[in-house]
Amino acid sequence: MKVTIGHLYPDLFNLYGDSGNVQCMKKRLEWRGMEAEVLALCAGDEIDFGKLDILVWGGGSDKGQALAVDYLKRIRPDFKNYVEDGGVVLAVCGAYQLLGKYYKAGEEVIEGLGILDIYTERSDERLVGNLILESPLSASPVVGFENHAGRTIIGDCAPLGRVLYGRGNTGDGGYEGVVYKNTVGTYLHGPLLPKNPEVCDWFLERALKRRYGEDVNLTELSDEPELRANGNMVERLVTSGGRSR
């Protein structure tokens, strides 16, 4: 079996080491004896969404978001069709914001893809720190690091998880991220997936089932180092008196 992972705009959205999410997906497929192809989809490239099993879109600056607007307009119809057809997407921070209707920074409004019924407005206060979620995507806590000034309103959409420690989408709403079909948007850096193997496998399993059928199941991996890193982060944050929701 082969999985094709598209890394969207690595030339514009390359902050916080989020490319590690691509490498984590690739290694967890290879450890199971599967082939993983990674395609760097740079600004201006033609994108054939029909060839993609997973699309990973990392965090970027406000400048990177503004530069991407014209490119996003070109791919918007195909991107939306891919999402609606169950295409698998991980969008982090700035990419998460651009899945929505718009990102407003003062008087400037950056148009989003409008794929999700969400929107973001920038605040003067940045939300920075470690974060722990309780999420249906993972039996273990989901851990990561948030660093964003945006306040993302997800309305009736489902969140990625309930905030146990940290600030989340709005700083006081109690929830973080968004899940729609097989698309996840989140503010969690780290990168996210190496310390959250169950979340990584959530993406992989959905991509495999979409490509090869519902009877596909992932073989189990040990995950002892990954879960130890996850548990250590949770323990440190809890014992240090992190912000609890």
Side-chain angles (χ1 to χ4, degrees):
M1 292 183 181
K2 176 182 176 180
V3 173
T4 301
I5 304 168
H7 188 183
L8 186 62
Y9 301 156
D11 47 341
L12 296 178
F13 294 78
N14 56 4
L15 297 180
Y16 307 117
D18 290 323
S19 60
N21 292 318
V22 175
Q23 294 305 312
C24 183
M25 289 179 173
K26 183 173 184 290
K27 292 305 296 184
R28 291 185 70 80
L29 288 165
E30 292 174 345
W31 288 337
R32 292 174 164 110
M34 301 181 192
E35 182 181 355
E37 179 184 21
V38 176
L39 303 178
L41 307 172
C42 296
D45 288 353
E46 293 293 325
I47 300 175
D48 184 352
F49 283 87
K51 293 182 178 180
L52 302 180
D53 298 302
I54 302 174
L55 188 67
V56 179
W57 191 5
S61 64
D62 290 355
K63 180 179 179 181
Q65 289 177 265
L67 289 172
V69 168
D70 287 341
Y71 301 115
L72 292 173
K73 288 179 180 178
R74 299 177 200 171
I75 68 171
R76 182 183 324 195
D78 291 338
F79 199 156
K80 183 174 179 61
N81 289 339
Y82 174 77
V83 169
E84 293 296 335
D85 190 47
V88 179
V89 179
L90 170 60
V92 180
C93 202
Y96 166 30
Q97 295 168 349
L98 288 175
L99 287 177
K101 297 176 180 178
Y102 63 84
Y103 172 69
K104 185 176 181 181
E107 297 300 317
E108 182 182 13
V109 178
I110 299 173
E111 184 181 1
L113 287 162
I115 292 174
L116 303 184
D117 188 18
I118 65 176
Y119 64 90
T120 303
E121 297 186 357
R122 189 174 68 187
S123 171
D124 292 335
E125 179 194 5
R126 292 195 71 83
L127 305 179
V128 183
N130 292 314
L131 192 146
I132 305 175
L133 298 180
E134 179 183 64
S135 172
L137 273 61
S138 174
S140 302
V142 175
V143 300
F145 185 84
E146 60 181 339
N147 183 357
H148 56 101
R151 303 295 189 269
T152 299
I153 310 302
I154 67 170
D156 294 331
C157 295
L160 171 59
R162 183 173 68 90
V163 176
L164 302 179
Y165 289 88
R167 305 298 295 276
N169 284 331
T170 62
D172 57 9
Y175 293 93
E176 202 285 325
V178 69
V179 179
Y180 175 74
K181 295 192 174 183
N182 291 331
T183 292
V184 173
T186 179
Y187 280 116
L188 289 179
H189 300 286
L192 168 66
L193 298 182
K195 292 189 186 73
N196 300 286
E198 292 170 271
V199 177
C200 188
D201 285 352
W202 184 91
F203 289 104
L204 300 181
E205 185 171 55
R206 276 150 184 77
L208 287 164
K209 287 181 181 295
R210 181 171 179 260
R211 177 67 69 182
Y212 296 105
E214 287 295 320
D215 59 341
V216 174
N217 291 297
L218 292 174
T219 56
E220 291 188 11
L221 299 175
S222 162
D223 292 337
E224 192 274 333
E226 293 88 346
L227 293 176
R228 186 171 67 247
N230 179 295
N232 287 342
M233 183 171 174
V234 172
E235 182 179 3
R236 285 198 306 270
L237 185 53
V238 171
T239 57
S240 67
R243 179 185 176 92
S244 175
R245 292 306 312 170

